[in-house]
Amino acid sequence: MPQPPDLIYDPYDYALDANPHPVWRRLRNEAPCYRNDRYDFWALSRFADVLGASLDHETFRSGRGTVLELIDKLNEPTPMIFKDPPEHTRLRKLVSRAFSPRRIAELEERVRDIARSYLEPRVGSGGFDYVADFGARLPVMVISSMLGIPEEDREQIRLWTDATLHREPGETLPEPGVLRDLFGYLARYVAERRKAPRDDMMSDLLEAEIQEPDGATRRLTDVEILTFISLLSAAGNETVARLLGWAATTLAHCPDERRKLVKRPGLIPGAVEELLRYEAPSPVQARTLSRPLVLHEVAIPEGAVVLLVTGSAGRDEREYPDPDRFDVERPIERHVSLGFGIHFCLGASLARLEGRVALEETLARFPEWEVDLANAEMVHTSTVRGWERMPIRF
Ligand code: HEM
């Protein structure tokens, strides 16, 4: 079908980012294989197409990058999210152990303690910034704790991580001094820990052996370990912070659904899945094509950049009845907000644990709140979508 000339999907448009759902709906209905000449990409927005592309990693490749503006601009060594098999398979196998269900289940009490330490002092305060004071802090502290970073250094790591996420207007990269301090600390820490292994994720990484293509095995280098830690920080912190920001606004806007969760906390795990579907924290993943393809009568050449709009897939009426309704009791068999296929979110069980515990601890203390949208702020990056500041009042 010919593409309507007035249909424009610009992933860098702040106004569109504030509420992309009407445009995403039009993409699904009017241009399921959408072409953007200005930024030279195609976009798939229907659930079935995003799912199919995520599963077909032979055709839809990640190795040139998965962030539109960073395609072909990556520095070696790249993290596994930007790799294809067989390299991706080797790395993923190696780090999977650190994210095994056993390791993650062991974290529940720690996650809960961290969540409580942020929420408890707010009781009776009248309000706080749910993202800046809580949602953005929780995941950074959890990862530091998983890595075995000494307790007294974790707040500094959190401050540095916060600073690496901050962008001056017009800048796309963080201030180099902050990265130097953060990586200087982590490099010293990795070197020290090589001498004294313990029972934590860092020791798993240091001891894991990687198999080279010729069959030889070796340990990961310090640089490879630091690359993996920065991937965890990039993929795990911002996304969970956005998920919790969406929880604050969506539940405030749907008080009946919130009441159900207060009364029946057993619904919370399903509510986390519904939140992920309803407002995907990481709504767009890029791929490049290893072969030419025709989709919905549109010919896409080999080498083309194709955006998988997971945020749109979650609202596809072909997959979810009444998709714009937030329903904590919706039976969700599957969604693509944590990816699908070989790059399926490595931290999925951790994200789900953090989301569930954060909501349990929040609703137990603050069964009702309002959001102060006039003083809220969105983050504008091409990888995540959501709130950077979300003041709540109760
Ligand atoms: C709500 C929170 C989260 C969301 C929405 C999310 C979303 C995603 C998505 C969509 C992908 C697939 C990317 C692609 O296909 O190119 C992914 C991959 C990944 N995520 Fe998450 N993520 C979350 C939390 C986390 C956490 C907590 C961690 C770890 C601490 C993590 C680590 C990773 C890693 C390492 C990958 C790459 C996996 C691979 O390439 O095999 N994520 N995530």
Side-chain angles (χ1 to χ4, degrees):
M1 61 178 99
Q3 186 166 306
D6 69 323
L7 177 53
I8 295 170
Y9 170 46
D10 174 350
Y12 303 110
D13 178 349
Y14 283 12
L16 180 118
D17 199 43
N19 180 15
H21 296 294
V23 167
W24 286 346
R25 185 183 313 117
R26 285 196 63 196
L27 290 184
R28 293 193 298 274
N29 292 334
E30 298 170 44
C33 183
Y34 169 81
R35 165 67 186 162
N36 184 306
D37 285 330
R38 178 168 175 204
Y39 297 110
D40 193 13
F41 68 79
W42 282 259
L44 302 180
S45 47
R46 289 187 184 171
F47 180 90
D49 292 329
V50 171
L51 178 70
S54 306
L55 290 170
D56 182 4
H57 57 264
E58 297 284 335
T59 306
F60 293 84
R61 311 292 276 175
S62 296
R64 285 168 53 201
T66 61
V67 179
L68 179 59
E69 66 276 14
L70 297 182
I71 300 258
D72 294 334
K73 297 198 181 90
L74 303 171
N75 293 322
E76 287 294 335
T78 56
M80 70 181 184
I81 200 165
F82 301 146
K83 287 193 193 297
D84 295 312
E87 259 188 301
H88 171 265
T89 322
R90 276 199 296 274
L91 277 176
R92 173 113 188 181
K93 193 167 156 222
L94 184 86
V95 295
S96 295
R97 199 175 133 213
F99 284 85
S100 69
R102 180 181 75 89
R103 282 272 187 227
I104 298 305
E106 282 169 5
L107 290 175
E108 175 152 351
E109 276 321 297
R110 253 192 282 172
V111 174
R112 201 174 289 286
D113 285 347
I114 298 171
R116 285 181 178 156
S117 74
Y118 288 125
L119 296 174
E120 193 56 31
R122 305 290 174 180
V123 173
S125 68
F128 63 101
D129 188 324
Y130 195 76
V131 177
D133 297 334
F134 175 57
R137 295 184 182 200
L138 175 74
V140 184
M141 286 309 211
V142 170
I143 291 183
S144 285
S145 137
M146 283 176 84
L147 290 169
I149 305 261
E151 200 135 10
E152 62 273 18
D153 295 342
R154 289 183 199 160
E155 183 59 16
Q156 181 59 62
I157 295 277
R158 191 187 71 72
L159 293 172
W160 277 327
T161 307
D162 250 16
T164 64
L165 299 177
H166 176 77
R167 300 283 182 279
E168 288 300 320
E171 292 290 324
T172 51
L173 293 173
E175 209 223 304
V178 176
L179 286 177
R180 214 175 28 241
D181 290 345
L182 175 60
F183 281 93
Y185 173 92
L186 290 172
R188 283 193 302 279
Y189 178 64
V190 170
E192 270 169 34
R193 290 298 303 280
R194 269 199 199 278
K195 291 184 221 143
R198 278 184 253 153
D199 182 30
D200 59 23
M201 180 165 87
M202 184 62 93
S203 308
D204 284 351
L205 291 175
L206 289 167
E207 281 163 28
E209 294 199 319
I210 188 163
Q211 193 159 31
E212 298 284 27
D214 64 5
T217 56
R218 66 168 177 84
R219 295 265 163 98
L220 288 179
T221 63
D222 285 5
V223 172
E224 284 169 327
I225 290 182
L226 289 174
T227 304
F228 179 65
I229 295 175
S230 52
L231 171 63
L232 291 187
S233 164
N237 293 335
E238 275 232 77
T239 45
V240 172
R242 293 325 134 222
L243 169 68
L244 297 182
W246 287 120
T249 45
T250 309
L251 292 176
H253 292 144
C254 304
D256 292 343
E257 298 303 298
R258 183 171 57 189
R259 246 187 308 279
K260 287 184 200 164
L261 300 183
V262 173
K263 274 205 191 126
R264 292 150 65 199
L267 292 175
I268 291 176
V272 172
E273 302 307 312
E274 174 70 345
L275 276 168
L276 287 165
R277 175 197 76 79
Y278 190 72
E279 293 289 13
S282 170
V284 181
Q285 333 296 326
R287 296 290 190 264
T288 48
L289 283 194
S290 65
R291 61 178 176 94
L293 205 65
V294 177
L295 265 172
H296 300 289
E297 298 166 29
V298 176
I300 322 177
E302 179 182 339
V305 177
V306 180
L307 301 187
L308 311 183
V309 190
T310 42
S312 163
R315 297 283 189 116
D316 188 349
E317 36 292 278
R318 293 158 195 80
E319 177 70 13
Y320 306 102
D322 199 3
D324 295 331
R325 201 164 76 85
F326 176 74
D327 173 2
V328 295
E329 291 179 280
R330 181 189 291 276
I332 301 186
E333 274 168 33
R334 54 186 189 170
H335 62 68
V336 285
S337 298
L338 293 165
F340 223 93
I342 62 168
H343 289 281
F344 176 68
C345 179
L346 178 74
S349 32
L350 179 58
R352 289 174 163 138
L353 174 71
E354 290 178 320
R356 170 172 64 79
V357 169
L359 284 188
E360 285 168 358
E361 294 300 322
T362 300
L363 292 163
R365 289 172 180 77
F366 315 107
E368 287 179 7
W369 64 84
E370 279 168 23
V371 285
D372 176 5
L373 287 177
N375 290 303
E377 261 175 56
M378 285 197 98
V379 261
H380 292 288
T381 76
S382 55
T383 49
V384 298
R385 175 172 173 265
W387 301 101
E388 185 162 34
R389 306 203 152 272
M390 179 47 68
I392 64 169
R393 279 190 304 259
F394 36 81

